[in-house]
Amino acid sequence: TTEAAVRQVADANVRRRALQCAIVIACLLPLVIGGLGLALVGVVGSIVVALLQAGGHISEWWLVLSLVFVGAAQGSVISPNQTLALADVPLAYAGSSGAVMQTGQRIGTSVGIAVITSATFTVLGATGSWPAALSTGFGLIGVIVLVALVFAVRDRREAPAD
C-alpha cells in the first residue's frame, strides 16, 4: 500500500541520517580530541616559557612556538566541533540552531575572557610578577581545555559504532 511505502521511505531516511551522523562523529571527533591535546601542549609550553624567561634562561619570543600549537589546535577543533554540534539537527532547524550555538559561543567567550583576565591581573596585583600572572592565566585556560578534552573523550567512547 501507499502508506507502507511512505513508512518504508521514512524509515530508510532515518537510517541514512543516523549513518551520516555516525560517520561525521567517527571522522571528526578524533580530530577534535587531537586538537585539544595540541592546545594542552601549547598552554603548558607557554607556562614553561614564561617561567624560563623570568629566570633569564630564554627569550619571550619562544612564546611564538608554544602558541603555534594553540593556533593549530584552534584550527583543528573549531570547525569540526561546530559540525559535530549540529550533526543531529534537522535541516528545518539548522539556521536557528546555528544562531543559538553562535550566541552561546559568544557568551562563553566573553565570560571566559573576563574571568581569565581578572584572575591574571589579580595575581599580577598581588605578586607584581608577570610570570606568575601569565602562568595563572594559561593554567586556567589549560583547566578549561582539559575539561573539554574529558568531554570529547567521553563522547568518543559513547559514539555509536556503525
Side-chain angles (χ1 to χ4, degrees), residues 87-110:
D88 290 328
V89 175
L91 190 57
Y93 299 109
S96 58
S97 298
V100 169
M101 184 179 73
Q102 284 292 313
T103 302
Q105 288 174 340
R106 300 290 186 257
I107 292 169
T109 299
S110 300

Side-chain angles (χ1 to χ4, degrees), residues 68-135:
V68 163
F69 286 99
V70 176
Q74 290 175 346
S76 66
V77 169
I78 294 172
S79 181
N81 201 38
Q82 289 180 339
T83 302
L84 288 167
L86 297 174
D88 290 328
V89 175
L91 190 57
Y93 299 109
S96 58
S97 298
V100 169
M101 184 179 73
Q102 284 292 313
T103 302
Q105 288 174 340
R106 300 290 186 257
I107 292 169
T109 299
S110 300
V111 170
I113 288 171
V115 168
I116 291 167
T117 303
S118 295
T120 300
F121 282 100
T122 298
V123 170
L124 179 63
T127 66
S129 168
W130 274 107
L134 288 175
S135 296

Side-chain angles (χ1 to χ4, degrees), residues 4-160:
V6 168
R7 244 187 261 122
Q8 187 176 11
V9 169
D11 289 344
N13 285 338
V14 168
R15 284 192 302 275
R16 181 180 51 81
R17 180 72 178 142
L19 180 60
Q20 287 172 339
C21 289
I23 290 169
V24 165
I25 290 169
C27 293
L28 294 182
L29 200 51
L31 185 61
V32 171
I33 292 169
L36 291 170
L38 272 178
L40 279 177
V41 168
V43 168
V44 169
S46 297
I47 292 170
V48 169
V49 168
L51 296 175
L52 288 175
Q53 191 279 331
H57 302 292
I58 61 173
S59 167
E60 62 272 1
W61 286 101
W62 282 99
L63 274 173
V64 172
L65 179 62
S66 64
L67 293 176
V68 163
F69 286 99
V70 176
Q74 290 175 346
S76 66
V77 169
I78 294 172
S79 181
N81 201 38
Q82 289 180 339
T83 302
L84 288 167
L86 297 174
D88 290 328
V89 175
L91 190 57
Y93 299 109
S96 58
S97 298
V100 169
M101 184 179 73
Q102 284 292 313
T103 302
Q105 288 174 340
R106 300 290 186 257
I107 292 169
T109 299
S110 300
V111 170
I113 288 171
V115 168
I116 291 167
T117 303
S118 295
T120 300
F121 282 100
T122 298
V123 170
L124 179 63
T127 66
S129 168
W130 274 107
L134 288 175
S135 296
T136 299
F138 280 120
L140 288 172
I141 294 168
V143 168
I144 293 166
V145 170
L146 191 59
V147 168
L149 183 59
V150 167
F151 277 102
V153 169
R154 190 201 69 189
D155 285 349
R156 176 74 176 138
R157 289 186 181 152
E158 294 176 0

